[in-house]
Amino acid sequence: AGRAWGSRGMEAAAGSCWAPLPVWRRLLRGLLLAVLAVGCCRGNSVERKIYIPLNKTAPCVRLLNATHQIGCQSSISGDTGVIHVVEKEEDLKWVLADGPHPPYMILLDGNLFNRRVMLQLKGTSRVSGLAVAVAKPSPPQGFSPGLKCPNDGFGVYSKDYGPQFAHCNKTVWNPVGSGLSYEDFDFPIFLLEDANETQVIKQCYQDHNVPREGSVPEYPLCAMQLFSHMHAVTSTVTCMRRSSLQSTFSINPEIVCDPLLDYNVWSTLQPINSSGKVDPEKEVIIVATRIDSHSFFWNIAPGAESAVSSFVTHLAAAEAVHKASDIHSLQRNIMFTFFQGETFDYIGSSRMVYDMEKDKFPLRLDNIHSFVELNQVALRNDSILWMHTDPVSRMNESVEVQVRNLLDILSNSSMGANVTLQEAGYSQPLPPSSFQRFLRARHIPGVVLTDHKTAFQNRYYQSMYDTPENIRMQYPEGLSPEEMLEYVTDTAKSLAEVATVVARALYRLAGGANNTSAIQADPKTVSRMLYGFLIKMNNSWFQSIIKPDIKGILGDVPQHYVAVSSPVNTTYLVQYVLANLTGTVVNLTKEECLSPEKTPSSEKEMYEYAWVQGSLDPNSTSRVPYCVRSTVRLSKALSPAFELRQWGSTEYSTWTESRWKEIRARIFLVASKELEIITLVVGIAILIISLLATYFINAKADVLFSIPRDPGAVAY
C-alpha cells in the first residue's frame, strides 16, 4: 500500500505543483491513526482498571491416591461469584437460601473454616468458591484438617499384626482431626495470606454488596474469580496410566499428575563407604525424624510442632554427639536419618526399608541394632518426655531385653537434666511414626519419643496454624532480624535439653564409656535453626552454610511440604545444616573441593564435600567461602509403588499431585444480566454497522482515498 501510494505521488509530482488533500480526508486519517495508537498503548490498562489481582493467596489443590481424589478445583475457565462475607454462622443463610444473586463467592472467617460449615457449602449449587481469611489468633478450640488416625493402614498394625491396635482402636492420636484435607470439593478454595488484601475484598463488599435499609443490593456488585483447574481426576491409577500412555505414544506428552517425591537426608557418626555394603557384623543405631508437614492449602505447611521441633532437636543432638572425643572408637555406629514425605503414608521411610531389603543401600536391616525416633517434642507438660515402644514385638524375649536396656539408658541419661522420661505403658501402641515401617520388615528394638502419652498435645496438627506461636516461641519487641536469629528463646532452651538427653543416650548405646558431661546441645544453635526453619529462611547463617549455586532456595517464609519437584528447600537446608554441625572444614581449594576424586587423600567414597558461601567479610561485601567435609548424603524418597509401577498398591504410598495450568484470583465489579445482554446486543449491532461501513468504504475506496490531479497540470 505504501509503494502504491508513493507511485501515485510521483505521478502527481510530475506536474507543476502538489495537490493538497481535502481537509475532511486528513481529519479522517488522523482520527484512525489516533484510535489505533490508543488501542495499542492502552489495551493492557483496561484490564488493570477492571480487575484487582489477589497476589498473596494459596490454593487448595488436588491430590490422588490408589482409590480417591481429594482437594479442590475450579472449572477450566475459572469460577466466578458475587462476594458475600461470612463472619458468623448466621451469615450462611443469605448464601444458602435468601441471597438473590447466586452463585456466591464466600469470604469465610478462619474461625468458621471447619468440617460442619464446609459440608454445608459442599452440598449446594449456590456456592461457586471460597476464600478463607486466616484466623488471628489461632482458633482456641484447635484446628486440624488431618485424619484422627494419621497414615492409617500403612503402619505396622493390621489384622495380622496387633489387630487390637489397628485403625487407632486403642488410642485416637489426633482427636481434633476433622479429615477436611481428605475431602473432595468441586469448587475452588483459596487462602488469603495478606490481611491487606482481605480488607480490600471486605471494603469492596461493603461498598457494593451490603443490603441497604433492608433492600436487595443493586448492581454493579463486587465479584471474585478463582482459577485452579486440575488436570488429574479419579485416582493415581487413572492419572498415572494416562500419563504413561502419553509418554509412550506422544511426541509432546501431557502429564496430568506427578508422584510426591523428594530425598531423605542421612549421615553417620563414623564414615562408611556409600558405594559398598556395611559389614554384616557392624551394628548401627538409627536415629530418625520426619522433615515434612502438610495443611489444607498447597505449600502452606509451617509444621512447627509436627516436624520442625523434632528435626531441629535431632540436628542439635547430632552436633552434640560429635563433640565426644572417642566417636571413632565406639563399638557401634550411629546413623542420623531425616525422612521426607512421611505425612503421606511414610514415603521416605518405606523407600529406605525397600532399598535396604533390595541391597540398594549401604546398610541392611540386619545391621540395625536399635531405633530411636523423635516425634513432636516441643509441647511437654511438666518437662515429661514419653517413651513409646511396640508391645507386639516386645513379646519376643530377646527384643524385650534389648528394649528394656534402651529404656534404661534413656532414663539414666536424663539424670540432672530438666527432662523427665517416662514409659508410656506396655499395652500402649506406637504413635504414627517412621519406626512402624521398619517393624513391618523386621522386629527391631526401638523407642519413639514424644511430648504426649496418648492423644497429641498439638491441637493444630497438619494445619496452617502449626506456627512458631504454637510451640510458644516468643521474642522481645523491637529486635532486628539479626538479633532475632541470635536470641535464645525458652523454646530453644527446652529443645536443647531434650537434644542433650538424646545425644548422651546415643553415646551410651553406641558403647561409649567416658563421662558424658561434654556432650551438650547448644541452645544458641537450636535458636538459629528454629528461626531459620520457622520464621525466615533467608538469614545470614543459612546464607553462609549453603552452596553459592543454590542460594535461590532461601525464601522468606519457610514451608515444609514434600511437593513433586526435588529437592525442596527444606531438604537442602537440613542437608547443609547437618553438614555444618557435624562436618569438618578442610583446607582444599575450590577446584579440589568440587572434584575431590582428583585429590588422593580425599576418600571420596567415605565423605561428601561441599564448597559453601561462608560468612561476609567484616570489611567488605564479599564472602569468605570454604570447603566442608561430612558424611551427609541424600537418598531417594519416592514410594516403591512408582518404582514397581504398582499404582494401586496397598503396601506402599501412592500419593500424587495433579498438574494445573494457572493458579490466580481476582476481584471486580459485575453488572446485572440485563445490562450484560444489552451490552452484548449493542456490541453486536456496532459490529454489524462497522462491517457494513467497512464494506462500503472499501467499495468506494478509489473515490474516497484517491488524490485528485491539478486540472492545470499537463502529464507527459
Side-chain angles (χ1 to χ4, degrees):
R3 287 194 297 272
W5 186 89
S7 63
R8 289 195 187 112
M10 290 176 66
E11 233 177 87
S16 58
C17 65
W18 181 267
L21 286 173
V23 174
W24 69 272
R25 289 180 185 171
R26 281 183 285 169
L27 289 173
L28 179 61
R29 285 186 178 182
L31 182 62
L32 287 171
L33 289 171
V35 169
L36 287 171
V38 170
C40 292
C41 299
R42 298 295 296 270
N44 289 333
S45 67
V46 173
E47 181 175 351
R48 289 198 296 270
K49 288 181 178 179
I50 295 174
Y51 299 104
I52 298 176
L54 304 174
N55 298 316
K56 291 285 290 180
T57 61
C60 160
V61 303
R62 175 168 290 165
L63 299 174
L64 309 98
N65 65 10
T67 55
H68 291 81
Q69 65 179 29
I70 63 172
C72 323
Q73 77 154 354
S74 73
S75 61
I76 195 167
S77 56
D79 288 329
T80 305
V82 174
I83 294 172
H84 189 73
V85 176
V86 175
E87 295 180 325
K88 53 186 183 298
E89 286 204 45
E90 292 75 20
D91 296 335
L92 289 171
K93 191 170 182 291
W94 181 269
V95 173
L96 299 175
D98 298 345
H101 306 118
Y104 285 96
M105 277 282 177
I106 298 175
L107 174 55
L108 187 69
D109 184 89
N111 289 297
L112 294 177
F113 185 54
N114 56 53
R115 185 177 183 85
R116 184 181 68 258
V117 170
M118 291 303 296
L119 292 186
Q120 287 184 65
L121 302 179
K122 185 178 179 180
T124 177
S125 60
R126 291 174 59 88
V127 174
S128 59
L130 202 66
V132 180
V134 178
K136 291 186 178 180
S138 302
Q141 71 278 11
F143 173 73
S144 173
L147 299 171
K148 292 183 183 296
C149 189
N151 291 357
D152 185 25
F154 290 87
V156 69
Y157 302 113
S158 66
K159 60 182 178 63
D160 301 318
Y161 187 99
Q164 69 273 30
F165 305 125
H167 313 300
C168 296
N169 287 334
K170 182 77 173 179
T171 305
V172 177
W173 296 106
N174 186 30
V176 185
S178 65
L180 197 58
S181 289
Y182 296 84
E183 291 288 334
D184 183 38
F185 295 92
D186 60 0
F187 53 77
I189 304 176
F190 279 54
L191 177 69
L192 300 173
E193 299 182 75
D194 188 346
N196 292 328
E197 288 188 344
T198 303
Q199 191 55 45
V200 168
I201 299 171
K202 288 184 177 180
Q203 189 61 53
C204 186
Y205 166 79
Q206 290 288 339
D207 293 343
H208 299 279
N209 296 10
V210 175
R212 307 295 177 189
E213 299 176 358
S215 62
V216 172
E218 297 181 357
Y219 286 98
L221 297 173
C222 190
M224 183 184 294
Q225 190 171 30
L226 302 178
F227 297 84
S228 63
H229 181 67
M230 300 287 130
H231 294 173
V233 295
T234 309
S235 67
T236 289
V237 176
T238 301
C239 79
M240 289 299 292
R241 184 177 65 243
R242 290 177 179 175
S243 296
S244 178
L245 288 172
Q246 285 274 340
S247 300
T248 304
F249 298 108
S250 176
I251 298 175
N252 298 308
E254 183 179 344
I255 308 301
V256 295
C257 69
D258 301 284
L260 296 181
L261 78 156
D262 203 80
Y263 287 88
N264 299 321
V265 182
W266 63 277
S267 75
T268 52
L269 186 65
Q270 301 164 354
I272 62 173
N273 189 333
S274 60
S275 58
K277 291 287 179 290
V278 173
D279 191 290
E281 284 74 41
K282 183 65 176 177
E283 294 182 318
V284 179
I285 301 156
I286 291 186
V287 197
T289 192
R290 54 185 270 192
I291 59 174
D292 68 299
S293 187
H294 180 45
S295 81
F296 186 87
F297 298 99
W298 182 75
N299 208 29
I300 300 295
E305 160 73 340
S306 61
V308 177
S309 69
S310 56
F311 76 69
V312 162
T313 305
H314 188 171
L315 288 164
E319 181 191 32
V321 172
H322 276 78
K323 292 177 181 177
S325 58
D326 58 340
I327 57 174
H328 293 292
S329 61
L330 292 177
Q331 178 186 349
R332 302 182 185 95
N333 204 347
I334 301 174
M335 177 172 156
F336 304 97
T337 314
F338 300 81
F339 291 120
Q340 185 59 279
E342 295 300 273
T343 303
F344 296 95
D345 300 336
Y346 306 118
I347 293 173
S349 55
S350 62
R351 180 53 187 260
M352 184 170 283
V353 171
Y354 174 82
D355 286 344
M356 287 180 175
E357 290 177 322
K358 302 298 180 183
D359 281 342
K360 296 180 179 180
F361 195 79
L363 267 67
R364 299 177 180 86
L365 290 170
D366 292 340
N367 292 116
I368 301 175
H369 169 268
S370 53
F371 199 104
V372 178
E373 181 169 354
L374 290 160
N375 186 347
Q376 299 194 78
V377 294
L379 298 177
R380 290 178 290 136
N381 282 335
D382 301 322
S383 299
I384 297 174
L385 200 63
W386 294 97
M387 301 182 290
H388 299 263
T389 57
D390 173 42
V392 180
S393 61
R394 289 181 69 178
M395 293 178 184
N396 181 297
E397 188 176 342
S398 64
V399 172
E400 167 63 18
V401 170
Q402 291 175 287
V403 169
R404 178 48 56 194
N405 179 58
L406 176 57
L407 296 176
D408 290 342
I409 289 175
L410 279 164
S411 297
N412 292 335
S413 298
S414 67
M415 297 295 183
N418 190 25
V419 180
T420 304
L421 278 94
Q422 292 188 15
E423 191 175 349
Y426 190 88
S427 60
Q428 178 78 23
L430 286 170
S433 52
S434 306
F435 180 39
Q436 292 199 32
R437 290 301 303 194
F438 284 80
L439 279 176
R440 284 177 71 133
R442 183 173 175 269
H443 281 179
I444 298 170
V447 62
V448 178
L449 302 176
T450 73
D451 55 21
H452 55 88
K453 181 179 181 181
T454 53
F456 295 162
Q457 296 276 18
N458 186 6
R459 295 174 298 143
Y460 304 109
Y461 182 74
Q462 290 186 7
S463 92
M464 56 191 170
Y465 300 115
D466 192 6
T467 58
E469 292 75 19
N470 185 35
I471 59 171
R472 306 168 190 143
M473 276 180 64
Q474 295 178 336
Y475 294 91
E477 293 287 338
L479 293 185
S480 67
E482 199 63 29
E483 289 170 335
M484 291 176 70
L485 174 67
E486 302 295 336
Y487 182 79
V488 179
T489 62
D490 290 340
T491 302
K493 294 175 184 175
S494 174
L495 294 181
E497 289 169 350
V498 175
T500 298
V501 171
V502 171
R504 291 174 178 176
L506 292 174
Y507 175 75
R508 290 292 184 216
L509 280 169
N514 293 342
N515 190 294
T516 58
S517 59
I519 300 176
Q520 184 79 37
D522 184 3
K524 188 172 181 179
T525 302
V526 175
S527 285
R528 286 178 165 189
M529 290 191 284
L530 288 174
Y531 179 80
F533 285 113
L534 287 175
I535 297 176
K536 188 177 182 180
M537 280 188 168
N538 194 11
N539 62 72
S540 60
W541 186 49
F542 279 4
Q543 290 168 7
S544 70
I545 63 174
I546 63 171
K547 291 181 177 179
D549 57 340
I550 61 167
K551 59 185 178 182
I553 68 170
L554 296 177
D556 278 336
V557 182
Q559 303 297 347
H560 307 293
Y561 173 60
V562 58
V564 296
S565 57
S566 58
V568 296
N569 52 9
T570 303
T571 303
Y572 270 131
L573 288 171
V574 168
Q575 177 188 7
Y576 286 103
V577 169
L578 183 59
N580 177 268
L581 298 180
T582 63
T584 306
V585 177
V586 290
N587 187 23
L588 295 178
T589 64
K590 181 179 180 180
E591 291 71 24
E592 291 171 335
C593 191
L594 295 177
S595 303
E597 65 278 357
K598 296 179 182 178
T599 305
S601 60
S602 66
E603 297 181 284
K604 180 68 174 71
E605 296 79 14
M606 310 295 282
Y607 296 100
E608 290 290 317
Y609 292 81
W611 185 258
V612 300
Q613 291 193 121
S615 302
L616 285 170
D617 190 320
N619 301 318
S620 71
T621 57
S622 61
R623 294 184 176 275
V624 184
Y626 56 91
C627 185
V628 175
R629 185 185 72 183
S630 70
T631 61
V632 181
R633 295 184 174 91
L634 301 180
S635 65
K636 191 178 290 186
L638 170 67
S639 171
F642 299 100
E643 195 95 347
L644 301 169
R645 296 176 68 86
Q646 296 176 358
W647 304 319
S649 173
T650 56
E651 169 72 12
Y652 299 111
S653 171
T654 56
W655 286 104
T656 54
E657 181 186 272
S658 174
R659 288 195 178 185
W660 57 81
K661 185 177 181 181
E662 63 174 346
I663 299 287
R664 60 191 175 102
R666 59 189 185 181
I667 63 172
F668 58 97
L669 294 181
V670 64
S672 66
K673 294 294 181 185
E674 293 78 8
L675 182 57
E676 288 179 344
I677 292 171
I678 292 171
T679 304
L680 177 63
V681 171
V682 171
I684 292 172
I686 292 173
L687 175 63
I688 294 171
I689 293 170
S690 301
L691 291 173
L692 290 173
T694 303
Y695 172 77
F696 285 115
I697 291 172
N698 186 60
K700 301 295 183 180
D702 54 339
V703 176
L704 293 173
F705 298 105
S706 63
I707 302 173
R709 298 183 181 185
D710 189 342
V714 179
Y716 294 94

